[in-house]
Amino acid sequence: MPNAPPRSRRSQQQCMQYGLCLFLLALLSPVGALPPSADGAPTNHSRVLIVGAGAAGYAAAARLLEHGWSDFTILEAEPRIGGRIHSVREAGTILEMGAEWVHGENVVYEMAAPLQLLGRRWSDSDAEVSVVWSGGVEADIEDVMLLYNTSIDIHDAGAHGELANYNGSFGEWFLEKFNKRLQSLDRRPPPDLVEAFLDAYQKGVGLEEGAHSWNELSGRGMTEYEESRGENEGLFWKRDGFISVFDLLTKRFPNSSQELPVRQRVLLDSEVSAIRWGERVRSELPAPPVVVELSHGGKHTADIVLVTVSLGVLKHRDIFDPPLPPRKMKAVENLGFGTVEKVFLHFTEPWWPSDVAGYEPLVREEDRETFKREHPEFAAHGEWAHALSAFYVDQHAPRSAVLSTWITGEPARLMESYTDSELMMGCVKWLQMFVGQNLTIPQPAGFRRSSWWSNPHFKGSFSYISLDSDRADVRAAHLAEPILDAHDQLAILFAGEATHGRHYTSVHGAIESGQREADRILKEYKKK
């Protein structure tokens, strides 16, 4: 996205005339619209303009409507609502391209659980994930579980306080603790299993935290995330996928007659190219509106703009004129924002045994070298296959014919440079290396993958507290701080999971942040 064009500079007298004119027009014009601008382009006005129709934007809009406030518009760059929630019905099941699980008793759980919308993975099945070496040899499950339980104990101890005063990365701390614990075990697993297990565990940390590497992940920051009460293993959606949360936020489900009309106020395919707020912070008269320009040439104005775009967009697109204040930019630049991608392979029927819930490859260095040598076409733009996580059977239906796998970090970004066909065959060849000796893997009948990094409306998946965050002494609270005008009134607000200090990375954090900013808006207007 090119930088926004420079803002024209007005004299103080011109600014005063401009502000007075807009003030009078606001009194005389119909609610929700202003006359055309000087260049003839239509200019639409709302008291509140919300940028982004994801969980945070929708939650804010629903909260405003619940309190009788309807003078707002939502601008959404995508041709759909949902943001990083994207549920796709395909292959007889629901594919969650983005957010997937509900962790614990939080605001999402409180809406969904009473309506019986959530379920546990494979709750009706005795299937288990098979841990395998290349060639199809199953690992010693006792050794694997010993390493796993040791790792979980260390991880939990760190997250619940041991890391509170640690100044290094989580990866550095974990390996130090793990190696010490390993020396004290009565039973020591073989070195090659330990190495392969650590590789798999690091992938899991990356997928859970969003960090490109656990060596970028702040150790101290790991203690700041607050887990929700209750079951945290992850509950999935039984009805239509995670997109159902938007029906709950707007009360469309279970009774459509009670629906809050948020959807009617959403303008899809409305990518914001510039948010011009400079006049607002310099005005000595009643505040002129913030001007929001769209890539297709449209223009909107508002008294308050609530920005709910991802941290990835804030990092990669220069849309504010003038730029955000230094304190805000420091938070944008230094908070972490990672890439987590998903791949779905759809087969005509399951080719794996009914007691298998998926396959977790244990990867040796020679496996990586063998794959590069035998399949150079899948490393043409960079290595990525070795970074794939386990291949899981679809959670919505244990006997479904869909396998999914996840990938994070730089390999996830490299993966997006491949075509669907190349990527599908690369995944199949990688899977064959580990289970193809014992099972025949057919050609997939279908394939789908996410592309959160290459999509300019997201530029990644979710936030994390990085070592850079520690060094710069910034946290989500700095990103959440509102921008005030010359009269200390709200001008630009920020919401989204990356602005939530205790529930970053999560949908419930995004929803709470949207409700937080809606309450801020309601409080502001109550004062007037």
Side-chain angles (χ1 to χ4, degrees):
M1 168 88 214
N3 291 339
R7 178 180 47 80
S8 60
R9 299 186 180 274
R10 296 185 176 90
S11 66
Q12 183 179 17
Q13 181 180 3
Q14 287 174 313
C15 290
M16 293 173 63
Q17 292 172 345
Y18 176 73
L20 181 59
C21 180
L22 287 175
F23 177 72
L24 293 174
L25 284 171
L27 296 177
L28 298 173
S29 300
V31 174
L34 287 176
S37 61
D39 60 6
T43 302
N44 301 315
H45 183 78
S46 302
R47 295 184 80 178
V48 175
L49 195 62
I50 300 173
V51 181
Y58 244 68
R63 179 64 66 93
L64 291 175
L65 285 172
E66 286 176 329
H67 287 80
W69 185 274
S70 60
D71 191 0
F72 67 85
T73 300
I74 305 177
L75 302 176
E76 171 53 52
E78 289 282 292
R80 60 174 181 83
I81 68 164
R84 283 166 279 169
I85 297 173
H86 189 197
S87 306
V88 177
R89 188 170 289 279
E90 187 174 294
T93 187
I94 297 167
L95 308 181
E96 298 285 15
M97 309 308 297
E100 188 160 352
W101 295 303
V102 177
H103 295 281
E105 297 174 11
N106 50 58
V107 64
V108 177
Y109 180 91
E110 290 168 359
M111 290 188 291
L115 299 172
Q116 307 298 312
L117 296 180
L118 303 176
R120 286 183 173 81
R121 287 178 287 174
W122 309 303
S123 58
D124 298 326
S125 172
D126 295 327
E128 295 183 351
V129 174
S130 178
V131 183
V132 292
W133 296 101
S134 58
V137 178
E138 292 194 5
D140 186 313
I141 196 61
E142 289 188 21
D143 281 343
V144 171
M145 291 309 299
L146 177 61
L147 293 172
Y148 177 77
N149 290 329
T150 299
S151 298
I152 291 299
D153 287 346
I154 295 171
H155 195 139
D156 288 349
H160 291 94
E162 282 195 22
L163 279 165
N165 298 312
Y166 189 74
N167 292 320
S169 72
F170 173 77
E172 179 184 21
W173 176 85
F174 180 90
L175 287 175
E176 179 183 346
K177 294 288 185 180
F178 181 87
N179 289 328
K180 285 183 179 179
R181 187 77 66 89
L182 195 64
Q183 299 303 315
S184 67
L185 294 176
D186 294 333
R187 168 183 175 143
R188 294 190 190 178
D192 61 341
L193 176 59
V194 173
E195 183 178 354
F197 173 84
L198 285 173
D199 176 70
Y201 194 78
Q202 180 178 359
K203 291 176 188 176
V205 171
L207 296 174
E208 182 178 351
E209 303 296 335
H212 288 173
S213 164
W214 63 2
N215 292 322
E216 295 179 5
L217 187 63
S218 164
R220 179 154 44 97
M222 291 286 284
T223 67
E224 297 177 22
Y225 184 88
E226 182 179 292
E227 291 185 352
S228 302
R229 302 182 311 276
E231 182 59 67
N232 275 285
E233 72 174 13
L235 303 172
F236 74 90
W237 291 81
K238 296 188 290 187
R239 172 190 176 271
D240 296 336
F242 218 133
I243 199 69
S244 301
V245 76
F246 292 89
D247 286 345
L248 298 179
L249 284 169
T250 59
K251 306 185 188 305
R252 184 172 183 268
F253 184 86
N255 187 351
S256 60
S257 66
Q258 298 179 359
E259 180 178 5
L260 297 169
V262 175
R263 179 65 185 84
Q264 293 89 319
R265 289 168 171 79
V266 179
L267 300 179
L268 300 176
D269 295 307
S270 298
E271 180 186 77
V272 170
S273 60
I275 298 177
R276 306 192 186 282
W277 57 282
E279 300 297 345
R280 182 67 176 267
V281 295
R282 286 190 291 271
S283 175
E284 296 180 4
L285 289 177
V290 178
V291 179
V292 177
E293 298 176 359
L294 305 182
S295 297
H296 58 51
K299 185 181 294 184
H300 290 257
T301 60
D303 299 338
I304 297 174
V305 175
L306 170 56
V307 178
T308 72
V309 300
S310 75
L311 176 58
V313 171
L314 296 179
K315 284 178 176 289
H316 289 90
R317 297 184 61 202
D318 182 13
I319 61 175
F320 293 94
D321 179 26
L324 295 174
R327 180 181 177 89
K328 180 77 68 175
M329 284 305 304
K330 190 178 179 182
V332 169
E333 292 167 358
N334 290 285
L335 287 170
F337 195 73
T339 301
V340 177
E341 303 292 4
K342 298 182 183 181
V343 173
F344 297 89
L345 302 171
H346 172 218
F347 300 90
T348 55
E349 60 182 8
W351 48 263
W352 49 88
S354 60
D355 61 349
V356 170
Y359 293 97
E360 174 81 63
L362 291 172
V363 184
R364 299 183 178 96
E365 183 59 35
E366 57 256 39
D367 296 326
R368 299 185 180 94
E369 295 303 319
T370 298
F371 191 80
K372 283 170 56 179
R373 183 175 63 255
E374 295 182 356
H375 306 291
E377 67 273 24
F378 302 126
H381 305 298
E383 297 178 56
W384 56 270
H386 66 83
L388 293 169
S389 68
F391 288 78
Y392 293 108
V393 177
D394 173 54
Q395 62 179 347
H396 295 89
R399 287 307 294 159
S400 78
V402 176
L403 289 180
S404 65
T405 184
W406 301 41
I407 186 170
T408 188
E410 188 59 29
R413 298 181 177 184
L414 290 171
M415 186 187 75
E416 293 193 34
S417 63
Y418 288 81
T419 66
D420 283 1
S421 177
E422 291 171 331
L423 184 55
M424 179 182 72
M425 290 311 302
C427 289
V428 170
K429 295 295 184 184
W430 182 253
L431 193 55
Q432 283 176 337
M433 175 179 285
F434 292 90
V435 300
Q437 300 294 320
N438 304 324
L439 297 165
T440 300
I441 304 177
Q443 181 82 355
F447 174 85
R448 185 179 282 267
R449 51 104 172 256
S450 64
S451 299
W452 297 111
W453 164 250
S454 59
N455 188 322
H457 302 148
F458 302 102
K459 296 303 294 180
S461 302
F462 46 87
S463 65
Y464 63 94
I465 301 177
S466 66
L467 282 180
D468 287 340
S469 310
D470 289 346
R471 297 183 187 110
D473 193 25
V474 293
R475 286 298 189 264
H478 301 120
L479 190 62
E481 290 175 350
I483 294 177
L484 306 180
D485 66 13
H487 304 282
D488 290 329
Q489 295 180 344
L490 300 179
I492 302 177
L493 308 180
F494 295 83
E497 54 85 14
T499 72
H500 200 302
R502 293 174 291 109
H503 296 150
Y504 55 90
T505 80
S506 68
V507 173
H508 57 276
I511 289 173
E512 289 178 358
S513 75
Q515 294 171 339
R516 176 196 70 212
E517 296 309 311
D519 290 343
R520 195 193 302 269
I521 292 168
L522 292 167
K523 183 178 180 180
E524 175 83 354
Y525 278 107
K526 191 175 181 179
K527 293 189 304 185
K528 297 181 179 181

